Amino acid sequence: MMVRSALSRMGIFTLILMFFYMSTHRPNEEQFYIWLLDEYNIECNKSITCSKKIEGNTYSTLIETGSNIKNGYLLFNTIGKIYEDENGSRTTIKALGILGKYFTIMKDEQDR
């Protein structure tokens, strides 16, 4: 009986530690832009104008036409961005930020 009680206390303590760690390691918007460059070759320098590496050393200019950032969640945040190039093609990227990293929820590309 004592072993079971000790294990449940240890489990509760572990859950509290995980909860604390997750709530203090939500990635921020700056980390999103680093992830965006690594994951999708889209580079934004603190402006709505971005560039995307297409092939070799060819770049396309993108304009951020939509942004949705939800930081109100305790353990994670979500970011959604919509980019449009000079031809009217649209790229939508939504990501989940948790444990100091971002993960793709959705990527949608629509050509015009």
Side-chain angles (χ1 to χ4, degrees):
M1 192 67 146
M2 258 172 76
V3 173
R4 185 177 280 170
S5 176
L7 285 176
S8 59
R9 284 185 190 157
M10 208 162 105
I12 290 171
F13 180 71
T14 302
L15 285 174
I16 290 171
L17 279 178
M18 277 186 58
F19 184 79
F20 177 76
Y21 181 83
M22 289 175 70
S23 65
T24 59
H25 285 82
R26 279 186 313 174
N28 58 29
E29 190 174 1
E30 188 174 302
Q31 290 169 303
F32 171 79
Y33 287 116
I34 293 168
W35 171 82
L36 190 63
L37 177 60
D38 290 342
E39 191 76 17
Y40 296 110
N41 291 321
I42 297 175
E43 183 173 15
C44 302
N45 294 317
K46 297 183 182 180
S47 71
I48 62 168
T49 305
C50 305
S51 62
K52 180 178 182 179
K53 189 174 185 178
I54 301 173
E55 294 173 8
N57 287 332
T58 307
Y59 290 87
S60 173
T61 301
L62 300 175
I63 303 293
E64 185 180 302
T65 58
S67 179
N68 186 7
I69 301 172
K70 298 266 186 172
N71 287 323
Y73 304 114
L74 184 59
L75 302 178
F76 63 92
N77 60 16
T78 59
I79 293 183
K81 300 281 184 176
I82 301 171
Y83 300 100
E84 202 166 310
D85 68 10
E86 59 270 0
N87 299 323
S89 296
R90 184 178 279 191
T91 301
T92 303
I93 297 174
K94 293 183 181 178
L96 172 72
I98 191 166
L99 296 173
K101 297 182 180 186
Y102 278 96
F103 301 93
T104 303
I105 296 173
M106 182 203 72
K107 180 185 179 203
D108 183 38
E109 293 181 315
Q110 298 174 349
D111 293 327
R112 280 215 167 173

